[in-house]
Amino acid sequence: MNNSSNKGSNYLLFFFIGILTFFLSGYALTGIHPPKSIYLMFVIYGILFAIGLLISREWSPVFILKAFVVSLVPLLLISAAFFAFGALNHEYSKSIEAKKLEFVPDEFVIVTEEELDEYPVLKKAIESPGEYFSANPDEWERTIDFLDEKGACEIKIGNDYYIIFFTTA
């Protein structure tokens, strides 16, 4: 019974090694870009795994294989979740900015107040030139399509001219 609970705590140790590898890699590899960061993450994992084997003092091939799986699965799952969350943030990280022009551009399109009311983020950007305003992906795409149909990102509203910028992270 004691040997069984000892193996259970050893597996728990390796489970936490997988989690610790992710967080330690994130801290240690700041500024190192893929694919080098992924390779270095596995180097950190290998070092922590070896330390775990030294602490556990278990040398059977079956235990080592199970410990490897128990530690690698959480590392891969957390990494996949992290990258999926990053992709989701990237998808929803869109903004619109308007800059007021001090000159008449060579090409521009006229946008009426009625048309502007259909694009609330664009309207906010026009009302506060130089500021970025977050837009959901649908409105961001709709606004781009609207200006593409019009034919330019330089617009005239009333007597003022603006250039519209669309940014994403």
Side-chain angles (χ1 to χ4, degrees):
M1 183 80 171
N2 191 15
N3 191 24
S4 174
S5 68
N6 189 25
K7 280 193 178 185
S9 64
N10 283 340
Y11 289 131
L12 190 60
L13 169 71
F14 284 97
F15 177 78
F16 284 116
I17 283 175
I19 294 171
L20 180 64
T21 299
F22 176 78
F23 290 106
L24 188 61
S25 297
Y27 177 75
L29 303 177
T30 302
I32 299 175
H33 301 289
K36 287 182 183 178
S37 60
I38 294 170
Y39 301 142
L40 292 173
M41 179 176 72
F42 284 114
V43 168
I44 291 171
Y45 171 72
I47 292 168
L48 291 177
F49 187 80
I51 291 170
L53 286 175
L54 289 173
I55 291 171
S56 71
R57 296 184 186 149
E58 285 280 343
W59 305 108
S60 72
V62 173
F63 175 80
I64 292 172
L65 182 62
K66 286 182 181 179
F68 178 75
V69 170
V70 165
S71 60
L72 190 63
V73 167
L75 173 62
L76 295 178
L77 289 176
I78 292 171
S79 296
F82 180 77
F83 291 119
F85 182 70
L88 182 66
N89 277 344
H90 179 74
E91 174 65 25
Y92 282 92
S93 176
K94 301 189 181 309
S95 61
I96 298 174
E97 176 193 16
K99 287 190 178 178
K100 191 171 183 179
L101 299 174
E102 301 298 324
F103 59 91
V104 177
D106 293 336
E107 293 182 27
F108 64 89
V109 294
I110 298 172
V111 176
T112 65
E113 288 292 331
E114 293 79 26
E115 289 174 318
L116 201 57
D117 288 337
E118 296 176 29
Y119 303 92
V121 177
L122 179 61
K123 185 173 184 173
K124 282 198 277 187
I126 296 294
E127 291 170 351
S128 300
E131 290 185 39
Y132 289 95
F133 290 92
S134 294
N136 68 48
D138 293 333
E139 184 172 356
W140 192 77
E141 284 289 331
R142 234 174 29 90
T143 307
I144 289 173
D145 291 344
F146 168 69
L147 292 178
D148 280 347
E149 287 174 13
K150 285 280 205 179
C153 285
E154 292 84 10
I155 61 175
K156 178 181 181 184
I157 299 176
N159 294 328
D160 297 321
Y161 297 90
Y162 300 89
I163 185 167
I164 309 303
F165 297 100
F166 299 92
T167 56
T168 184

